[in-house]
Amino acid sequence: MTTPSPLTDLTALSLRRARATPEALFLHQQAIDEIQDRLGMVNKSFTAPAVVTDFPAVWGDLLPEATVVPASDVLSLEVGAHDLVIHGMSLHWANDPVGQLIQCRRALRADGLFVSAAFGGQTLQELRACLGQAEASVTGGMSPRVAPMAELRDMGGLLQRAGFALPVADAVPLTVSYQDAWALMRDLRAMGESNALSARLRRPTARAVIETAAQLYQNHFNDGEGRVIATFELIFLTGWAPDESQQKPLRPGSAQQRLADALNTDETKLRN
């Protein structure tokens, strides 16, 4: 039996992350603001936080006292050492996202909180469509160019598979405008988010493919004022390390009041 190739070339990803520029990481700041809002709604103080991210210079300011570790396949987190673990904008490149979540849960103390921010499946849907159509028309084939980011429902399911209690998944869609598709692709490189897939094309892309994709983008995804739009979807995951003090669903059949009474309506039998 052969071992399947990993989705992400981690060496290539590391090189791309290293070239990221601070001014291009505005989506990280958006994610940080969203997480701060979520933490502000939690009636609990955290004394031993940890942050998992490939961008320590950006995410380190979120919780200056936190332990910050890279988002490698094996996380450098001590089991049961933290009451809060934040996974910052790296989960969408993970070769084993469930494994990442399990490691984060194991690093939490009982009733500890996990929060993650990552790109979701609607991200760069316009660019994905244009590149695919352009490559197919110019070369007669297609190669992987945009990471297959998970949909919201799938991400929520990962929390349950990883053993988190009280799992919640929600999405924040964002629309960003650019001068043209070339500016968008330059910005993706500056974000450290350009193609790092293991199955990516290993030779330079024909210029005709990029030019065709840029023209398709301009034709189909412009804002009516000469600029093009790009969708980014931020998915946030929240879950708790299980603890006996947490709320639990009632046992089926243990309700003390009929639903019909609560709704002030008549109860009718189902017909066969």
Side-chain angles (χ1 to χ4, degrees):
M1 182 178 296
T2 59
T3 302
S5 299
L7 174 69
T8 302
D9 180 344
L10 295 180
T11 300
L13 180 62
S14 179
L15 292 173
R16 285 152 176 70
R17 300 297 212 200
R19 299 191 191 107
T21 59
E23 60 272 14
L25 301 180
F26 59 94
L27 293 173
H28 286 251
Q29 189 56 58
Q30 179 72 32
I32 288 171
D33 291 344
E34 291 284 344
I35 288 179
Q36 286 177 323
D37 288 344
R38 286 160 171 76
L39 293 178
M41 292 185 287
V42 176
N43 187 23
K44 183 174 182 177
S45 59
F46 300 99
T47 59
V51 178
V52 178
T53 184
D54 289 325
F55 298 90
V58 179
W59 286 81
D61 292 338
L62 174 60
L63 296 167
E65 72 281 13
T67 299
V68 181
V69 302
S72 54
D73 283 345
V74 179
L75 302 178
S76 300
L77 294 175
E78 183 181 346
V79 175
H82 304 283
D83 54 7
L84 171 66
V85 173
I86 295 173
H87 207 296
M89 295 296 284
S90 298
L91 194 59
H92 53 280
W93 282 112
N95 283 315
D96 181 11
V98 175
Q100 290 280 300
L101 298 185
I102 290 174
Q103 291 181 73
C104 290
R105 179 179 58 77
R106 286 172 52 82
L108 286 169
R109 301 168 185 167
D111 202 35
L113 177 63
F114 170 78
V115 184
S116 169
F119 286 126
Q122 301 303 308
T123 298
L124 298 176
Q125 56 184 339
E126 304 90 354
L127 181 62
R128 185 184 292 110
C130 292
L131 284 173
Q133 184 177 342
E135 190 170 19
S137 64
V138 173
T139 70
M142 293 176 62
S143 61
R145 294 187 177 275
V146 179
M149 289 162 276
E151 299 295 336
L152 178 62
R153 179 179 298 180
D154 298 328
M155 295 292 280
L158 296 184
L159 283 170
Q160 294 179 312
R161 289 177 58 188
F164 282 103
L166 309 174
V168 175
D170 66 286
V172 176
L174 301 169
T175 301
V176 182
S177 69
Y178 289 92
Q179 179 178 349
D180 50 32
W182 300 95
L184 166 60
M185 289 183 278
R186 287 194 297 271
D187 211 22
L188 292 175
R189 285 194 293 272
M191 291 180 191
E193 296 291 346
S194 54
N195 194 352
L197 294 170
S198 295
R200 70 190 184 280
L201 194 68
R202 298 304 178 108
R203 63 179 184 276
T205 299
R207 186 170 181 82
V209 172
I210 305 300
E211 290 177 342
T212 301
Q215 188 59 55
L216 287 169
Y217 211 124
Q218 190 69 44
N219 293 343
H220 296 288
F221 300 108
N222 66 81
D223 64 359
E225 298 181 359
R227 296 173 66 83
V228 300
I229 59 173
T231 298
F232 293 92
E233 181 185 38
L234 297 179
I235 289 183
F236 296 90
L237 304 179
T238 305
W240 295 83
D243 185 69
E244 287 300 320
S245 65
Q246 294 166 351
Q247 293 179 340
K248 295 178 177 59
L250 294 174
R251 179 175 53 83
S254 62
Q256 301 298 311
Q257 183 178 5
R258 298 188 315 140
L259 180 59
D261 294 337
L263 297 177
N264 193 27
T265 187
D266 295 328
E267 184 175 5
T268 58
K269 294 183 178 180
L270 294 176
R271 296 180 179 179
N272 293 331

